[in-house]
Amino acid sequence: MRDAEVSGVIAVWRFLRSGLRGFLFVGLLMAAVVDCWMRRPKVGAEGAVWIHGWCRRMVKALGLEYSVEGSVPRGGAVVSNHLSYLDILLYSSVQPFVMVAKTEVRGWPLLGWLTAQAGTVYVERGGGPKTYPGVNAAMAEAYRSGLPVLFFPEGTTTEGAEVLPFRRGLFHSVLNGGVVLRVAALRYSLDSYAVNGSATVGEDVCWWGDMKFTPHMFRFLGLRGLRAKIRFGEEIVERADRFVLSETAQATVAEMYEGLRPEAESNVVWEGDSELVEAL
């Protein structure tokens, strides 16, 4: 077959794969809403434990394989780099967390409502000092839940080239409450299956900048061989003030993130690629 024909077949295959996975994902979201309505878990820790099981199902439906290194936190605060809307689902599938997210997430269809049931603390991006009292009070309540509280102090998602400097605002709550702070790093990788074409982690898995949610997710759902690694680190003990605490945490996360880089790019070719092309 000519290259143009092969490209066309791959495009059709990815479209069908995206459609099927999208159908499964939306079905799981709706099932989770019904289950929540029937079980009525209390907002907060009970809700986070409840949604943990659903996140595991959703991650599996998305075809995302992941591995975890290090000791999974059972309490305190945890900070991580931030790459995509997938991060929240992925971390929540590993362990029940109380999440901290931007206020826009609260308005997302279905997902926003579900995150609210899990006691998510919503933070206004760029809200400034006027928002600190409310945020600190919400964070203090989250710490009292007994579950680890996870936030992404870069303040935005990135394409994964580097870990951005950490914003210091939320570190107030860590210091004020004498909360133990742990670090985590997350990295995605994508096998070079022929059906993935020219897809890259930076453009087709990470979600950043002015990317539109729906088109990006539809492209992502058609990918094959998506993997993630999560590494949990130790407690950050250098905490003279929020400047020291945030900078030490950022440097540690950046080092861990770099350590998760694949030693060599995978050049996997799906053994069914040629059969798929010939069959279609």
Side-chain angles (χ1 to χ4, degrees), residues 31-104:
V33 170
V34 172
D35 184 53
C36 185
W37 181 80
M38 295 178 63
R39 293 175 181 265
R40 298 190 181 279
K42 295 179 181 179
V43 174
E46 185 176 326
V49 172
W50 165 79
I51 205 172
H52 162 66
W54 282 101
C55 285
R56 295 184 66 178
R57 297 182 182 96
M58 292 175 193
V59 166
K60 185 175 181 180
L62 293 174
L64 175 56
E65 298 182 7
Y66 66 88
S67 60
V68 177
E69 302 174 3
S71 175
V72 179
R74 301 301 179 187
V78 183
V79 293
S80 170
N81 61 309
H82 198 13
L83 301 170
S84 172
Y85 48 82
L86 298 170
D87 302 353
I88 293 177
L89 288 176
L90 189 56
Y91 274 114
S92 291
S93 71
V94 173
Q95 146 84 25
F97 284 96
V98 174
M99 295 288 181
V100 180
K102 60 183 181 180
T103 53
E104 292 88 338

Side-chain angles (χ1 to χ4, degrees), residues 3-22:
D3 289 345
E5 293 175 323
V6 172
S7 297
V9 170
I10 290 175
V12 170
W13 189 90
R14 285 188 62 180
F15 180 86
L16 294 175
R17 185 180 180 87
S18 295
L20 176 59
R21 282 184 168 171

